[in-house]
Tab-separated table of all heavy atoms in Angstrom:
chain	number	residue	atom	x	y	z
S	1	ASP	N	32.750	-29.011	-4.688
S	1	ASP	CA	31.515	-29.783	-4.813
S	1	ASP	C	31.069	-30.104	-6.221
S	1	ASP	O	30.504	-31.222	-6.513
S	1	ASP	CB	30.354	-28.915	-3.996
S	1	ASP	CG	30.571	-28.856	-2.558
S	1	ASP	OD1	31.348	-29.836	-2.009
S	1	ASP	OD2	29.986	-28.031	-1.857
S	2	GLU	N	31.327	-29.142	-7.135
S	2	GLU	CA	30.959	-29.506	-8.563
S	2	GLU	C	31.834	-30.542	-9.136
S	2	GLU	O	31.415	-31.376	-9.869
S	2	GLU	CB	31.102	-28.236	-9.357
S	2	GLU	CG	30.598	-28.379	-10.850
S	2	GLU	CD	30.730	-27.103	-11.678
S	2	GLU	OE1	30.959	-26.146	-11.106
S	2	GLU	OE2	30.678	-27.205	-12.873
S	3	ALA	N	33.110	-30.450	-8.708
S	3	ALA	CA	34.037	-31.591	-9.147
S	3	ALA	C	33.582	-32.981	-8.597
S	3	ALA	O	33.553	-33.943	-9.381
S	3	ALA	CB	35.327	-31.255	-8.620
S	4	VAL	N	33.151	-32.968	-7.291
S	4	VAL	CA	32.605	-34.182	-6.763
S	4	VAL	C	31.450	-34.699	-7.586
S	4	VAL	O	31.439	-35.915	-7.885
S	4	VAL	CB	32.233	-34.053	-5.347
S	4	VAL	CG1	31.405	-35.285	-4.804
S	4	VAL	CG2	33.490	-33.852	-4.501
S	5	SER	N	30.511	-33.822	-8.051
S	5	SER	CA	29.370	-34.230	-8.779
S	5	SER	C	29.614	-34.936	-9.968
S	5	SER	O	28.926	-35.684	-10.573
S	5	SER	CB	28.418	-33.072	-8.830
S	5	SER	OG	28.955	-32.105	-9.815
S	6	VAL	N	30.768	-34.350	-10.666
S	6	VAL	CA	31.227	-35.014	-11.973
S	6	VAL	C	32.022	-36.252	-11.795
S	6	VAL	O	31.914	-37.311	-12.519
S	6	VAL	CB	31.933	-33.960	-12.829
S	6	VAL	CG1	32.426	-34.575	-14.056
S	6	VAL	CG2	31.043	-32.742	-12.985
S	7	LEU	N	32.949	-36.198	-10.825
S	7	LEU	CA	33.967	-37.246	-10.737
S	7	LEU	C	33.358	-38.478	-10.003
S	7	LEU	O	33.774	-39.649	-10.129
S	7	LEU	CB	35.148	-36.865	-9.859
S	7	LEU	CG	36.109	-35.795	-10.556
S	7	LEU	CD1	37.133	-35.302	-9.621
S	7	LEU	CD2	36.668	-36.422	-11.823
S	8	LEU	N	32.168	-38.269	-9.261
S	8	LEU	CA	31.526	-39.393	-8.631
S	8	LEU	C	30.057	-39.233	-9.144
S	8	LEU	O	29.138	-39.078	-8.331
S	8	LEU	CB	31.555	-39.159	-7.083
S	8	LEU	CG	32.913	-39.170	-6.500
S	8	LEU	CD1	32.867	-38.914	-4.962
S	8	LEU	CD2	33.730	-40.482	-6.719
S	9	PRO	N	29.851	-39.579	-10.360
S	9	PRO	CA	28.502	-39.327	-10.976
S	9	PRO	C	27.409	-40.266	-10.386
S	9	PRO	O	27.777	-41.392	-10.194
S	9	PRO	CB	28.768	-39.623	-12.453
S	9	PRO	CG	29.841	-40.607	-12.496
S	9	PRO	CD	30.802	-40.218	-11.358
S	10	GLN	N	26.274	-39.671	-10.206
S	10	GLN	CA	25.083	-40.378	-9.770
S	10	GLN	C	23.958	-40.469	-10.743
S	10	GLN	O	22.918	-41.132	-10.384
S	10	GLN	CB	24.693	-39.739	-8.389
S	10	GLN	CG	25.667	-39.704	-7.263
S	10	GLN	CD	26.059	-41.174	-6.859
S	10	GLN	OE1	25.375	-41.888	-6.318
S	10	GLN	NE2	27.396	-41.537	-7.159
S	11	THR	N	24.061	-39.806	-11.876
S	11	THR	CA	23.061	-39.945	-12.935
S	11	THR	C	23.790	-40.172	-14.299
S	11	THR	O	24.996	-39.904	-14.455
S	11	THR	CB	22.281	-38.653	-13.113
S	11	THR	OG1	23.185	-37.597	-13.517
S	11	THR	CG2	21.737	-38.198	-11.737
S	12	PRO	N	23.097	-40.822	-15.300
S	12	PRO	CA	23.686	-41.110	-16.549
S	12	PRO	C	24.181	-39.649	-17.180
S	12	PRO	O	25.187	-39.672	-17.885
S	12	PRO	CB	22.543	-41.587	-17.407
S	12	PRO	CG	21.760	-42.370	-16.465
S	12	PRO	CD	21.807	-41.477	-15.145
S	13	GLN	N	23.448	-38.550	-16.996
S	13	GLN	CA	23.881	-37.383	-17.552
S	13	GLN	C	25.223	-36.947	-17.058
S	13	GLN	O	26.077	-36.416	-17.774
S	13	GLN	CB	22.835	-36.239	-17.146
S	13	GLN	CG	23.221	-34.852	-17.687
S	13	GLN	CD	22.148	-33.758	-17.204
S	13	GLN	OE1	21.219	-34.101	-16.562
S	13	GLN	NE2	22.474	-32.558	-17.638
S	14	LYS	N	25.469	-37.231	-15.691
S	14	LYS	CA	26.733	-36.773	-15.065
S	14	LYS	C	27.954	-37.690	-15.641
S	14	LYS	O	29.054	-37.265	-15.783
S	14	LYS	CB	26.612	-36.897	-13.576
S	14	LYS	CG	25.904	-35.730	-12.966
S	14	LYS	CD	26.592	-34.431	-13.152
S	14	LYS	CE	25.955	-33.293	-12.480
S	14	LYS	NZ	26.666	-31.940	-12.759
S	15	VAL	N	27.659	-39.020	-15.864
S	15	VAL	CA	28.481	-39.898	-16.463
S	15	VAL	C	28.960	-39.370	-17.877
S	15	VAL	O	30.142	-39.321	-18.145
S	15	VAL	CB	28.079	-41.340	-16.530
S	15	VAL	CG1	29.077	-42.220	-17.208
S	15	VAL	CG2	27.706	-42.044	-15.228
S	16	ARG	N	28.008	-38.948	-18.588
S	16	ARG	CA	28.324	-38.398	-19.947
S	16	ARG	C	29.092	-37.206	-19.851
S	16	ARG	O	30.057	-36.909	-20.629
S	16	ARG	CB	27.042	-38.170	-20.727
S	16	ARG	CG	26.283	-39.394	-21.062
S	16	ARG	CD	25.139	-39.131	-21.996
S	16	ARG	NE	24.399	-40.431	-22.455
S	16	ARG	CZ	23.350	-40.953	-21.894
S	16	ARG	NH1	22.707	-40.222	-20.787
S	16	ARG	NH2	22.811	-42.006	-22.257
S	17	GLN	N	28.828	-36.317	-18.955
S	17	GLN	CA	29.673	-35.081	-18.601
S	17	GLN	C	31.131	-35.455	-18.231
S	17	GLN	O	32.012	-34.887	-18.713
S	17	GLN	CB	28.999	-34.292	-17.444
S	17	GLN	CG	29.772	-32.909	-17.193
S	17	GLN	CD	29.052	-32.191	-16.192
S	17	GLN	OE1	27.822	-32.483	-15.716
S	17	GLN	NE2	29.721	-31.099	-15.707
S	18	LEU	N	31.246	-36.550	-17.492
S	18	LEU	CA	32.659	-37.041	-17.076
S	18	LEU	C	33.309	-37.489	-18.243
S	18	LEU	O	34.508	-37.282	-18.433
S	18	LEU	CB	32.486	-38.276	-15.996
S	18	LEU	CG	33.748	-38.828	-15.587
S	18	LEU	CD1	34.721	-37.816	-14.905
S	18	LEU	CD2	33.441	-40.040	-14.654
S	19	LEU	N	32.699	-38.258	-19.218
S	19	LEU	CA	33.308	-38.711	-20.416
S	19	LEU	C	33.775	-37.600	-21.308
S	19	LEU	O	34.854	-37.556	-21.851
S	19	LEU	CB	32.382	-39.662	-21.206
S	19	LEU	CG	31.962	-41.035	-20.536
S	19	LEU	CD1	30.972	-41.689	-21.328
S	19	LEU	CD2	33.226	-41.876	-20.398
S	20	GLN	N	32.931	-36.450	-21.409
S	20	GLN	CA	33.282	-35.318	-22.165
S	20	GLN	C	34.470	-34.697	-21.526
S	20	GLN	O	35.384	-34.008	-22.281
S	20	GLN	CB	32.057	-34.356	-22.221
S	20	GLN	CG	30.918	-34.830	-22.997
S	20	GLN	CD	31.137	-34.757	-24.460
S	20	GLN	OE1	32.045	-33.986	-24.946
S	20	GLN	NE2	30.464	-35.596	-25.216
S	21	LEU	N	34.663	-34.716	-20.234
S	21	LEU	CA	35.695	-34.129	-19.588
S	21	LEU	C	37.015	-34.772	-19.640
S	21	LEU	O	38.045	-34.156	-19.561
S	21	LEU	CB	35.321	-33.735	-18.058
S	21	LEU	CG	36.216	-32.929	-17.128
S	21	LEU	CD1	36.083	-31.376	-17.681
S	21	LEU	CD2	35.799	-32.997	-15.754
S	22	THR	N	36.993	-36.061	-19.710
S	22	THR	CA	38.130	-36.875	-19.602
S	22	THR	C	38.747	-37.417	-20.958
S	22	THR	O	39.842	-37.868	-21.003
S	22	THR	CB	37.973	-37.979	-18.654
S	22	THR	OG1	36.866	-38.781	-19.144
S	22	THR	CG2	37.767	-37.458	-17.193
S	23	PHE	N	37.931	-37.368	-22.012
S	23	PHE	CA	38.363	-37.906	-23.352
S	23	PHE	C	38.259	-36.749	-24.286
S	23	PHE	O	37.415	-35.924	-24.310
S	23	PHE	CB	37.380	-39.023	-23.838
S	23	PHE	CG	37.479	-40.225	-22.951
S	23	PHE	CD1	36.830	-40.522	-21.792
S	23	PHE	CD2	38.299	-41.293	-23.537
S	23	PHE	CE1	36.962	-41.664	-21.183
S	23	PHE	CE2	38.441	-42.518	-22.922
S	23	PHE	CZ	37.819	-42.678	-21.683
S	24	VAL	N	39.276	-36.845	-25.190
S	24	VAL	CA	39.222	-35.880	-26.418
S	24	VAL	C	38.131	-36.298	-27.384
S	24	VAL	O	37.391	-35.486	-27.920
S	24	VAL	CB	40.551	-35.949	-27.115
S	24	VAL	CG1	40.470	-35.124	-28.400
S	24	VAL	CG2	41.728	-35.266	-26.273
S	25	LYS	N	37.904	-37.639	-27.557
S	25	LYS	CA	36.981	-38.214	-28.440
S	25	LYS	C	36.152	-39.080	-27.558
S	25	LYS	O	36.319	-40.430	-27.689
S	25	LYS	CB	37.528	-38.838	-29.720
S	25	LYS	CG	38.311	-37.928	-30.534
S	25	LYS	CD	38.881	-38.579	-31.829
S	25	LYS	CE	39.492	-37.623	-32.791
S	25	LYS	NZ	40.044	-38.353	-33.886
S	26	PRO	N	35.214	-38.709	-26.721
S	26	PRO	CA	34.432	-39.707	-26.022
S	26	PRO	C	33.392	-40.476	-26.823
S	26	PRO	O	33.129	-40.081	-28.053
S	26	PRO	CB	33.696	-38.668	-25.053
S	26	PRO	CG	33.529	-37.386	-25.911
S	26	PRO	CD	34.873	-37.272	-26.573
S	27	ILE	N	33.135	-41.676	-26.404
S	27	ILE	CA	32.190	-42.453	-27.013
S	27	ILE	C	30.767	-41.659	-27.160
S	27	ILE	O	30.309	-41.084	-26.243
S	27	ILE	CB	31.827	-43.806	-26.321
S	27	ILE	CG1	33.029	-44.589	-26.166
S	27	ILE	CG2	30.775	-44.711	-26.973
S	27	ILE	CD1	33.005	-45.829	-25.413
S	28	LYS	N	30.265	-41.552	-28.477
S	28	LYS	CA	29.142	-40.662	-28.640
S	28	LYS	C	27.800	-41.371	-28.088
S	28	LYS	O	26.990	-40.462	-27.612
S	28	LYS	CB	28.996	-40.439	-30.179
S	28	LYS	CG	30.109	-39.553	-30.753
S	28	LYS	CD	29.926	-39.249	-32.230
S	28	LYS	CE	30.967	-38.385	-32.744
S	28	LYS	NZ	30.805	-38.003	-34.232
């Protein structure tokens, strides 16, 4: 369920969390 909340983000905060999780150097 936590994976779903990150991989299918519904808020800008969750999108930023997804970027942190998937990129070594995410867009700041």
Side-chain angles (χ1 to χ4, degrees):
D1 286 342
E2 185 181 350
V4 167
S5 73
V6 177
L7 296 175
L8 304 176
Q10 298 298 295
T11 66
Q13 180 183 0
K14 285 296 183 181
V15 177
R16 292 187 176 99
Q17 186 178 348
L18 177 62
L19 294 174
Q20 292 288 336
L21 192 66
T22 53
F23 288 83
V24 170
K25 295 181 179 180
I27 301 173
K28 291 185 177 180

